[in-house]
Amino acid sequence: MYASYPLIEYKRHLLLENKQGHLLIDTGSPTSFHEDGFIELGDFRMEVPKDIFGIVDSKYLSDTLGLKIKGLLGMDFMGQHPTVFNTKGFGGFISFGDGFNDADVMEGFSIMGCPGIVIEVNRRPARVLVDSGANLSYIDKQFVRESQFLSEQEDFHPLLGTGLFTTDTYEVPCHIGCGNHKDKDLNVVFGILPAEMGLLLSAQQVDGVIGYDLFCNFRISLQDGKVVLPP
């Protein structure tokens, strides 16, 4: 299978549009869903549920983002098909089906099929989940000591009560890459993990989540559960 679509950046979320409508692309979700009960990309069709645990569905995403969203593409699909993310600075498209033999593999791990990488945050190694569905990245508060406080920011997560919450944000120096010329030093804006999320992640020895900022600074490929940096 090979398929390519324009990669839509909407409010720091990554979307594609196929003949079924807009799909939110979410590497932080083990499971896809669609209100049609299936997703078709190229010549591949996958049967999917119409919601996740009766909590998250197309209406929830549409109401939250302010755009009609028909479904969510998760790692049950992207784990089967090499996926290449090219945000606007890299051409503005997403493709499925072709990987890279000479790509640099980032040090990483996997939780329930969702990819994670190791980066430096404030000169310390941090294990972070890679979440293309997250417009804001998050980190444990121990990593933001002496960092610049920016503001409070509202965000949402379906497992937190009403879904909406407010977090303090900080600008934190990071080093991301594979130890070669592709490495970048950049400042990333992190929110502080809400207590419920922090407990869930710390139980898996995960320090945080990196979202849109990773994808807009690097060309990213997901291959065999790993995050790689293509040529």
Side-chain angles (χ1 to χ4, degrees), residues 62-109:
S62 299
D63 291 346
T64 302
L65 296 182
L67 177 72
K68 178 60 179 175
I69 306 293
K70 300 293 290 293
L72 178 146
L73 189 68
M75 287 305 299
D76 49 355
F77 179 88
M78 290 183 281
Q80 294 183 52
H81 305 281
T83 303
V84 184
F85 292 82
N86 295 274
T87 47
K88 288 178 181 177
F90 303 97
F93 67 93
I94 185 169
S95 63
F96 306 99
D98 280 353
F100 294 88
N101 294 326
D102 53 352
D104 293 311
V105 180
M106 298 190 70
E107 180 183 355
F109 58 96

Side-chain angles (χ1 to χ4, degrees), residues 1 5 16 18-20 23 34 38-46 77:
M1 166 206 172
Y5 297 86
L16 67 81
N18 68 354
K19 61 184 179 182
Q20 295 177 275
L23 302 178
H34 198 285
F38 64 91
I39 292 175
E40 286 187 347
L41 293 170
D43 59 1
F44 185 85
R45 172 175 168 138
M46 182 174 70
F77 179 88

Side-chain angles (χ1 to χ4, degrees), residues 153-174:
Q153 185 168 325
E154 189 175 84
D155 202 356
F156 72 95
H157 195 286
L159 301 182
L160 297 179
T162 61
L164 295 174
F165 64 92
T166 301
T167 184
D168 292 341
T169 62
Y170 295 81
E171 186 174 51
V172 187
C174 295

Side-chain angles (χ1 to χ4, degrees), residues 1-230:
M1 166 206 172
Y2 177 81
S4 179
Y5 297 86
L7 185 59
I8 301 166
E9 300 178 39
Y10 178 79
K11 296 182 179 179
R12 291 172 57 90
H13 291 89
L14 301 181
L15 314 173
L16 67 81
E17 185 177 12
N18 68 354
K19 61 184 179 182
Q20 295 177 275
H22 285 111
L23 302 178
L24 176 67
I25 308 164
D26 191 354
T27 61
S29 175
T31 306
S32 304
F33 70 84
H34 198 285
E35 63 182 43
D36 294 340
F38 64 91
I39 292 175
E40 286 187 347
L41 293 170
D43 59 1
F44 185 85
R45 172 175 168 138
M46 182 174 70
E47 305 296 322
V48 297
K50 295 186 177 182
D51 57 46
I52 298 179
F53 303 133
I55 300 173
V56 185
D57 58 12
S58 59
K59 183 179 185 305
Y60 175 87
L61 292 181
S62 299
D63 291 346
T64 302
L65 296 182
L67 177 72
K68 178 60 179 175
I69 306 293
K70 300 293 290 293
L72 178 146
L73 189 68
M75 287 305 299
D76 49 355
F77 179 88
M78 290 183 281
Q80 294 183 52
H81 305 281
T83 303
V84 184
F85 292 82
N86 295 274
T87 47
K88 288 178 181 177
F90 303 97
F93 67 93
I94 185 169
S95 63
F96 306 99
D98 280 353
F100 294 88
N101 294 326
D102 53 352
D104 293 311
V105 180
M106 298 190 70
E107 180 183 355
F109 58 96
S110 178
I111 304 291
M112 296 179 64
C114 297
I117 57 175
V118 179
I119 65 175
E120 286 186 17
V121 180
N122 238 347
R123 299 175 298 280
R124 297 175 54 191
R127 288 164 49 90
V128 293
L129 287 173
V130 173
D131 186 356
S132 63
N135 69 318
L136 178 65
S137 299
Y138 286 89
I139 199 70
D140 188 275
K141 62 183 178 182
Q142 64 177 310
F143 287 88
V144 303
R145 293 170 184 158
E146 301 179 2
S147 295
Q148 178 65 42
F149 171 76
L150 293 179
S151 64
E152 288 188 343
Q153 185 168 325
E154 189 175 84
D155 202 356
F156 72 95
H157 195 286
L159 301 182
L160 297 179
T162 61
L164 295 174
F165 64 92
T166 301
T167 184
D168 292 341
T169 62
Y170 295 81
E171 186 174 51
V172 187
C174 295
H175 183 84
I176 303 174
C178 300
N180 59 25
H181 68 283
K182 295 178 184 175
D183 285 22
K184 290 184 180 180
D185 292 309
L186 63 152
N187 290 336
V188 176
V189 175
F190 286 101
I192 300 302
L193 288 167
E196 300 93 330
M197 290 174 61
L199 288 172
L200 288 172
L201 293 183
S202 64
Q204 302 291 333
Q205 298 182 312
V206 174
D207 300 305
V209 174
I210 189 162
Y212 177 80
D213 283 312
L214 177 69
F215 294 87
C216 71
N217 282 284
F218 293 88
R219 189 180 185 211
I220 297 292
S221 180
L222 301 181
Q223 298 176 204
D224 300 321
K226 298 180 177 61
V227 178
V228 302
L229 305 180

